[in-house]
Amino acid sequence: MSAPRASTDNSAGAKRDPRGIGWLLLTPLLGWLGLFVVLPTAILFVYSFCQRDELGQVVFSFTWSNYARIFDPVYLGIFGRSLWYAGLTTALCLAIGYPVAYFIGRSPPSRRSTLLLLVMIPFWISFLLRTYAWISLLKGEGLISSLLQGMRLLTGPLDILYTPTAVIIGLVYTYLPFMILPIFTSAEKLDNSMIEAALDLGATPVRAFTQVILPLTKPGIFAGVLLVFVPSIGMFAVTDLMGGARVPMIGNVIQNQFGQARDWPFGAALGITFLALFAITFWFLHDRGEVRR
Amino acid sequence: MKKRLSSLFAIGLALGAALDLSAAKKEVNLFGWSEYVPQDVLDKFEEETGIKVNYETYASNEEMLSKLLGGAAEFDLVQPSEYVVEALVKAGKLEEIDFANVPNMKNVGAEFLHQPHDPQQKYSVPYMAGTVGIVVNTEKVKEPIAGMADVFSGKYAGRIVTLNDNREILTWALRTLGRDINDISPAAAAAARPVLTKWLPQIKVYDSDSPKTSLLNGDVDIGVVWSGEAAILFNEDKKFAYVLPKEGAHLWIDSLVIPKGAPHKADAEKFINFILRPDISVLISNAFPYTNPNLEARKLLAPEQLANPASFPSPAKLESFHDIGKSAALVDKLITDLKGGS
Amino acid sequence: MQTHPDTQLEWEFRHAPPPAPPAGAPVLGETMVQLRGVTKRFGSVTAVDAVDLTIRKGEFLTLLGPSGCGKTTLLRLLAGFETPTSGEILIEGHDVSDIPPYRRDVNQVFQSYAIFPHLTVEENIAFGLKMRHVPVAERRERVEEALALVSLAGLGLRRPHELSGGQRQRVALARALVCRPKVLLLDEPLSALDAKLRHAMQLELKHLQRQLGITFVFVTHDQEEALIMSDRIAVIHRGRIDQLGTATEIYHAPASAFTADFIGEANLLDAAVLANNGVTAQLQLGEGAEVSVRSSAVRPGATRALVSVRPEKIYITRTKPAKENTFRGVIEEEIFRGAMDELRIRVAGGLQLMAIAANESAHEHAWHKGDTVFCAIHTDDIVVVEQK
């Protein structure tokens, strides 16, 4: 009886040690997080309760007014629109990205890396360059416009650039890989026999998809949704460049506070609110999306 | 990206400077707009005086302010726009310039001096100036465009690019209403609102960085833009005409100033005097087609440079911006609201 | 229609054209599945090569073979995950070659079990019923039945990750059985279990199959498992059926060297045919080891024969027994195997044999290296598997 007890003690001891080393190994990451995530967020949090002086410098006197200002219908409306744009972007990325990711995940391993590479290649090119490429594609005298007119599918020049449609195109283009990659990971892990079992048990391909494949790739879908939804709410470059800055999103408003308006406390309040929204979204999705394995 | 590169460059320079301490090399730290001071001007200055110029850049007055007030770096020279000069003077952040060291100040045209931002001309020296006016693609727009009322008549809805600058946009409406452009009050905002409600939906693109792009691409036909952009457009294609709105226009003046506590004040004044030399000033004009306030330098310009209406427009009613302090929040809210509603 | 337990009839059905499905209860021995010249190629690789196979209603048939022999492909063809390159597959007389898996009355137990991790045990088992639109009340009833059948009653609300390997295996079984398939396909379902549990499950599966009367097609590479469980075994080798027969037929009368070697242990010996007088044939296994077999086992005119002798069929004694086919040898190696002793015996002429002898009293330690012993083999235990 004593022998097994001794071995249990040993294993517990053996477990304790690696945990200590584990923390040690995590130190650089924790340090990085503390220095570049926690600390700036704390500063932002403090600023959000401060005021600005005539020169736009932050003055440390407590006020709720920055948060009160967010509830001004002007900014609330922009929050609402940002959510809507980000939601639409996420939905489109999911609709376009899921089949692609699934296809790549289910293709033979030898071809998989090539296909993944194709998804990643755009990242090798600067974001601004790619955005300007889109501008020259979409502009009234651009390639797509001339092509459509040449094919007599369009009578006038294409009027997409500097519209919300262009913003959505830009957002979907920018964030599509962030949807594809996590779903790919889920699809790749999906055991083929799960799909065969579903078919074997009488599920048509459609029902096998909805009843088995979809639930089993849910972790990838949720990760993808988070990775696309959250940054697309805050995106300002695409809105400026492809949307002609006509319809501001919350990212543009925040950017403006730290730039032209020189109202850091209000920008900080917007940022903190945005962060809180993100945390709530994450918590909500995580709670629901957890696959109980 | 460019910003990051330039700051890396600055770090490199700072390191270099630190290593050179033993040699006691003389230097001046210039914090200026990006693409504003030609490199050959800096090289010539070093050649003649042995003073090295460390040129760090910014993309907006606001960026410059946060760095300057943050106090992280010690700058000897900064290039703020007029309303920022005013704010800095008010806040006591500038050194008085010893004009005994700047004899070339005599070259600057009188119309650029004693402006509201520096009435006694104690703190600043005009570097370059310009206006905000209307660029018209005369191939597409046949009717004459004389002012903002023509731009926003409704005829060119969806064919207009303007600066993405909330205060600038508001002043167009205020001027049209005959109000003081520097009086930013809730009443002024309320008055401007109906005008802007009509105007903003007609704008296709807001772009401060490169409004020429959409004009060159043919996506819009009219622009309300910086004169510098208009000058480049005119050089590119003569079909782009530049008009100063008859209601009046914003005259901006970027000046050289010396921040309080600058470590190399005397050398900074040497640099200011150097810049004001006609043969040097003309180099700047050759590189960047802004309005040169240096009248002696203008004499050295080629006729076609002087003929560019965007660089040297015909006289008009010009006004410069004052600092509006906290009213910026009011402007931000108004324009954000109107843009969001469109 | 009467049921016919008679095996004679079974034989007749096998050779008669497929009968019309009976109106009443299934008749043991009727044809359930028929494969006619089924071939499956993947590119240049032929996984299944012109296989003809008849599977009877209610039988436990095992497809046995080493990995890569084509047995799994054969199973997948039956399930509908693959379509044959040529040939046809009939289930109860209907060609199903082009019917997708979800429209076949065939269910499979997967090697990995393929339990849906996002569903409870109950939901897993009900899955097939739900897909077939069985009403909820009936569904519940049948799930309960199935749970009881595999001794998992009361665990319906568990999540798959809360189950042991054996329990998951039972869930997979219940999930397939609850659909009442015509044929249950099992793809090495016991391979992930430990030896003891595996043996228990072998018997349990066998009993379950008897109890339900469902046709089982079982794939395994474990010959012992095949021998224990099957009514009939099809030994698969290189995409073909090497031998089809009952466990005893295959064990005692392997039709090929491959089968002899693959099933159990065998001494495969290249023998010279010395004489054949029509009653007995004389074979020389090696110098000093001559044996006689029934003449009928050797084709007239054959000069060489490959024979298989099971190690436990070699009778080892210290004194010369009064038996036919006896020769002398020396123990070269003795390996203790618990219940048995494995002996390597060298016969004078150089021939080496493996024999298995009952382990006698440990105190005496009966067999030692270097002992001279006599080997005797019964005529019927010398099986000619190849000759020329």
Side-chain angles (χ1 to χ4, degrees):
Chain A
M1 207 52 224
S2 66
R5 194 175 299 154
S7 77
T8 339
D9 283 349
N10 271 349
S11 70
K15 252 181 209 161
R16 214 175 295 132
D17 249 346
R19 208 173 294 164
I21 293 171
W23 281 111
L24 200 68
L25 291 172
L26 273 179
T27 313
L29 175 71
L30 292 176
W32 188 88
L33 280 177
L35 206 60
F36 296 109
V37 179
V38 178
L39 188 68
T41 310
I43 293 174
L44 216 58
F45 187 74
V46 171
Y47 275 7
S48 72
F49 293 104
C50 292
Q51 300 184 27
R52 59 158 289 189
D53 69 0
E54 291 291 331
L55 260 183
Q57 295 180 94
V58 176
V59 180
F60 292 90
S61 66
F62 183 85
T63 176
W64 284 105
S65 64
N66 298 312
Y67 285 98
R69 222 175 129 192
I70 291 173
F71 289 94
D72 188 306
V74 173
Y75 298 107
L76 270 189
I78 287 171
F79 257 109
R81 189 191 9 244
S82 301
L83 289 176
W84 155 239
Y85 275 28
L88 187 62
T89 302
T90 309
L92 287 171
C93 280
L94 185 61
I96 301 167
Y98 194 97
V100 176
Y102 188 79
F103 176 78
I104 299 176
R106 307 309 292 168
S107 52
S110 53
R111 208 186 310 154
R112 235 178 261 166
S113 45
T114 316
L115 290 171
L116 270 186
L117 196 68
L118 289 178
V119 174
M120 308 288 290
I121 279 176
F123 280 111
W124 300 354
I125 303 161
S126 134
F127 166 76
L128 275 182
L129 266 182
R130 284 181 282 139
T131 308
Y132 278 111
W134 267 110
I135 290 176
S136 64
L137 277 178
L138 292 181
K139 67 186 181 189
E141 294 168 4
L143 199 66
I144 296 176
S145 180
S146 328
L147 209 68
L148 289 178
Q149 288 180 78
M151 289 161 69
R152 309 232 171 269
L153 291 173
L154 209 67
T155 45
L158 186 69
D159 189 27
I160 280 190
L161 191 58
Y162 308 125
T163 65
T165 313
V167 174
I168 296 293
I169 290 175
L171 287 173
V172 169
Y173 169 75
T174 307
Y175 292 115
L176 190 57
F178 295 96
M179 184 63 88
I180 292 179
L181 294 179
I183 295 178
F184 158 78
T185 313
S186 271
E188 189 192 26
K189 273 193 289 186
L190 182 63
D191 184 353
N192 200 40
S193 65
M194 294 289 172
I195 303 164
E196 286 185 347
L199 296 174
D200 185 72
L201 291 166
T204 57
V206 173
R207 296 195 83 191
F209 177 73
T210 58
Q211 304 283 319
V212 174
I213 299 173
L214 209 53
L216 289 183
T217 47
K218 218 154 76 176
I221 296 174
F222 279 110
V225 165
L226 273 181
L227 284 178
V228 171
F229 186 73
V230 173
S232 56
I233 293 181
M235 180 52 132
F236 56 86
V238 167
T239 341
D240 270 357
L241 294 172
M242 290 179 71
R246 269 160 75 187
V247 260
M249 281 175 67
I250 201 66
N252 301 86
V253 177
I254 295 176
Q255 183 208 24
N256 204 32
Q257 301 316 313
F258 286 94
Q260 216 181 30
R262 280 189 64 67
D263 197 344
W264 286 29
F266 181 50
L270 285 167
I272 291 290
T273 309
F274 179 47
L275 193 69
L277 269 181
F278 163 60
I280 292 167
T281 316
F282 180 80
W283 173 76
F284 180 77
L285 284 181
H286 187 75
D287 214 42
R288 302 200 136 198
E290 200 177 22
V291 173
R292 288 153 290 189
R293 274 184 185 269
Chain B
M1 199 59 184
K2 188 167 152 201
K3 210 192 298 176
R4 190 185 307 157
L5 274 179
S6 65
S7 56
L8 277 176
F9 182 60
I11 291 168
L13 283 176
L15 276 175
L19 291 171
D20 276 1
L21 260 180
S22 55
K25 206 168 176 185
K26 289 167 90 181
E27 58 180 9
V28 159
N29 298 318
L30 166 63
F31 192 32
W33 292 87
S34 53
E35 291 185 54
Y36 214 20
V37 186
Q39 187 60 42
D40 53 344
V41 169
L42 302 179
D43 293 344
K44 267 211 165 89
F45 181 66
E46 188 177 355
E47 208 175 282
E48 287 187 16
T49 63
I51 302 168
K52 184 168 171 45
V53 181
N54 302 321
Y55 181 26
E56 191 176 332
T57 65
Y58 54 84
S60 72
N61 278 310
E62 289 69 24
E63 184 193 338
M64 178 272 291
L65 268 180
S66 26
K67 269 200 194 155
L68 185 67
L69 300 175
E74 299 213 308
F75 298 114
D76 300 309
L77 282 166
V78 195
Q79 280 180 309
S81 299
E82 70 288 344
Y83 66 102
V84 182
V85 172
E86 183 183 358
L88 287 170
V89 169
K90 261 195 239 166
K93 300 282 183 189
L94 298 182
E95 294 278 356
E96 285 190 28
I97 295 172
D98 183 355
F99 281 97
N101 295 331
V102 190
N104 288 334
M105 189 67 178
K106 64 178 192 308
N107 297 338
V108 177
E111 64 264 44
F112 299 97
L113 299 175
H114 304 288
Q115 291 290 312
H117 62 267
D118 187 6
Q120 271 116 47
Q121 207 66 47
K122 273 159 64 179
Y123 300 97
S124 64
V125 173
Y127 177 75
M128 279 287 159
T131 49
V132 173
I134 304 163
V135 169
V136 181
N137 180 341
T138 50
E139 274 178 14
K140 294 279 176 64
V141 178
K142 298 297 180 194
E143 295 85 352
I145 302 290
M148 290 297 176
D150 297 332
V151 172
F152 292 108
S153 65
K155 223 168 163 177
Y156 309 107
R159 308 297 302 167
I160 301 167
V161 57
T162 71
L163 297 174
N164 189 20
D165 182 312
N166 293 345
R167 183 176 178 189
E168 190 68 53
I169 292 167
L170 175 61
T171 60
W172 304 334
L174 292 177
R175 238 184 242 119
T176 306
L177 292 166
R179 296 183 78 110
D180 178 358
I181 60 160
N182 285 307
D183 168 33
I184 311 290
S185 60
R193 179 177 269 274
V195 177
L196 292 173
T197 307
K198 254 184 264 161
W199 285 8
L200 296 198
Q202 302 180 32
I203 299 173
K204 173 117 181 174
V205 194
Y206 297 90
D207 189 351
S208 290
D209 298 326
S210 181
K212 59 181 176 293
T213 306
S214 49
L215 281 158
L216 283 171
N217 280 347
D219 283 309
V220 293
D221 303 325
I222 297 182
V224 186
V225 303
W226 309 117
S227 54
E229 288 279 315
I232 294 167
L233 280 168
F234 180 79
N235 289 341
E236 193 93 17
D237 193 330
K238 298 288 176 274
K239 73 182 176 188
F240 292 111
Y242 186 70
V243 185
L244 284 178
K246 64 171 192 284
E247 297 94 339
H250 173 193
L251 168 75
W252 52 265
I253 303 169
D254 289 339
S255 303
L256 284 166
V257 298
I258 302 176
K260 204 95 191 166
H264 313 101
K265 183 167 181 286
D267 291 338
E269 283 164 352
K270 247 182 224 167
F271 183 75
I272 293 174
N273 195 47
F274 177 76
I275 287 279
L276 290 178
R277 244 165 61 188
D279 61 318
I280 300 300
S281 184
V282 79
L283 294 176
I284 303 171
S285 271
N286 288 343
F288 308 108
Y290 300 103
T291 307
N292 194 334
N294 190 320
L295 299 184
E296 292 302 313
R298 280 193 203 181
K299 290 177 185 163
L300 304 174
L301 287 171
E304 63 265 31
Q305 279 173 305
L306 288 167
N308 191 325
S311 302
F312 301 100
S314 38
K317 183 191 165 201
L318 297 174
E319 290 169 285
S320 56
F321 279 8
H322 291 213
D323 177 51
I324 54 168
K326 287 185 183 176
S327 304
L330 195 68
V331 180
D332 181 69
K333 186 183 156 183
L334 174 71
I335 305 296
T336 305
D337 186 18
L338 291 174
K339 268 189 180 182
S342 66
Chain C
M1 204 178 192
Q2 283 278 192
T3 55
H4 303 273
D6 196 336
T7 48
Q8 205 55 39
L9 273 169
E10 207 181 307
W11 189 88
E12 281 177 13
F13 273 113
R14 209 154 32 112
H15 293 271
V27 180
L28 186 74
E30 275 181 70
T31 297
M32 174 56 85
V33 180
Q34 199 169 23
L35 277 70
R36 291 183 184 155
V38 172
T39 296
K40 178 68 186 178
R41 280 191 206 97
F42 297 103
S44 61
V45 179
T46 305
V48 172
D49 190 3
V51 164
D52 291 304
L53 176 66
T54 301
I55 303 169
R56 302 169 203 158
K57 207 163 271 187
E59 85 168 322
F60 194 125
L61 180 98
T62 297
L63 304 177
L64 174 66
S67 55
C69 71
K71 60 186 191 300
T72 299
T73 307
L74 209 49
L75 197 76
R76 291 173 61 79
L77 283 162
L78 288 172
F81 299 134
E82 310 286 355
T83 47
T85 311
S86 62
E88 51 186 0
I89 299 168
L90 300 144
I91 296 179
E92 287 193 324
H94 301 288
D95 187 356
V96 297
S97 306
D98 296 322
I99 306 277
Y102 48 93
R103 288 209 205 92
R104 290 193 190 188
D105 288 336
V106 164
N107 287 105
Q108 184 171 342
V109 176
F110 291 81
Q111 186 171 12
S112 60
Y113 312 145
I115 310 275
F116 303 130
H118 60 295
L119 302 179
T120 61
V121 166
E122 222 169 63
E123 288 164 341
N124 260 285
I125 296 174
F127 191 88
L129 302 176
K130 197 174 151 195
M131 293 303 117
R132 291 185 169 93
H133 307 287
V134 172
V136 177
E138 188 192 337
R139 222 187 278 171
R140 200 169 298 141
E141 207 172 287
R142 282 170 67 175
V143 168
E144 283 308 315
E145 265 174 46
L147 278 169
L149 189 70
V150 297
S151 323
L152 285 179
L155 299 186
L157 295 177
R158 293 270 178 96
R159 293 259 157 198
H161 69 92
E162 298 170 323
L163 302 178
S164 70
Q167 286 172 325
R168 300 172 119 195
Q169 209 272 328
R170 286 157 192 269
V171 174
L173 193 61
R175 186 176 68 176
L177 285 173
V178 80
C179 301
R180 295 175 186 163
K182 291 196 170 122
V183 182
L184 184 72
L185 308 173
L186 302 105
D187 184 10
E188 310 222 10
L190 307 178
S191 61
L193 304 178
D194 62 68
K196 216 162 197 162
L197 187 56
R198 183 159 65 224
H199 190 64
M201 279 307 295
Q202 285 166 356
L203 296 177
E204 202 177 319
L205 260 183
K206 177 78 193 155
H207 295 152
L208 199 63
Q209 191 263 338
R210 287 271 159 79
Q211 183 191 337
L212 297 170
I214 292 177
T215 310
F216 275 33
V217 178
F218 189 94
V219 161
T220 185
H221 65 273
D222 181 339
Q223 41 95 15
E224 193 188 328
E225 191 166 278
L227 295 175
I228 292 170
M229 302 173 77
S230 323
D231 292 328
R232 288 195 303 160
I233 298 170
V235 181
I236 317 282
H237 182 44
R238 293 187 182 155
R240 290 171 167 274
I241 296 180
D242 201 69
Q243 188 172 5
L244 177 67
T246 64
T248 43
E249 277 166 15
I250 286 191
Y251 189 78
H252 292 300
S256 71
F258 173 78
T259 300
D261 193 37
F262 190 71
I263 314 281
E265 285 165 303
N267 291 291
L268 281 177
L269 308 167
D270 188 12
V273 182
L274 299 176
N276 191 346
N277 62 13
V279 182
T280 55
Q282 290 294 314
L283 302 180
Q284 187 183 40
L285 303 180
E287 204 181 309
E290 281 175 25
V291 295
S292 59
V293 297
R294 277 177 224 283
S295 183
S296 56
V298 182
R299 200 176 54 218
T303 56
R304 296 205 78 81
L306 191 67
V307 302
S308 158
V309 179
R310 298 281 178 204
E312 76 276 13
K313 305 284 177 169
I314 302 176
Y315 182 66
I316 311 284
T317 52
R318 289 190 187 279
T319 50
K320 190 173 182 188
K323 288 189 175 178
E324 45 163 7
N325 300 343
T326 299
F327 46 89
R328 202 202 323 234
V330 175
I331 296 177
E332 263 194 349
E333 199 177 358
E334 182 234 339
I335 301 155
F336 178 62
R337 280 176 39 171
M340 301 286 173
D341 264 356
E342 180 183 323
L343 306 174
R344 298 288 161 94
I345 296 165
R346 179 76 66 184
V347 181
L351 176 73
Q352 198 193 39
L353 287 175
M354 180 174 81
I356 286 180
N359 190 353
E360 296 179 15
S361 165
H363 306 289
E364 290 174 28
H365 221 314
W367 310 111
H368 293 284
K369 194 173 162 182
D371 288 359
T372 300
V373 293
F374 292 92
C375 308
I377 310 170
H378 190 272
T379 299
D380 290 343
D381 292 331
I382 300 167
V383 182
V384 176
V385 291
E386 271 170 36
Q387 51 191 310
K388 57 187 174 186

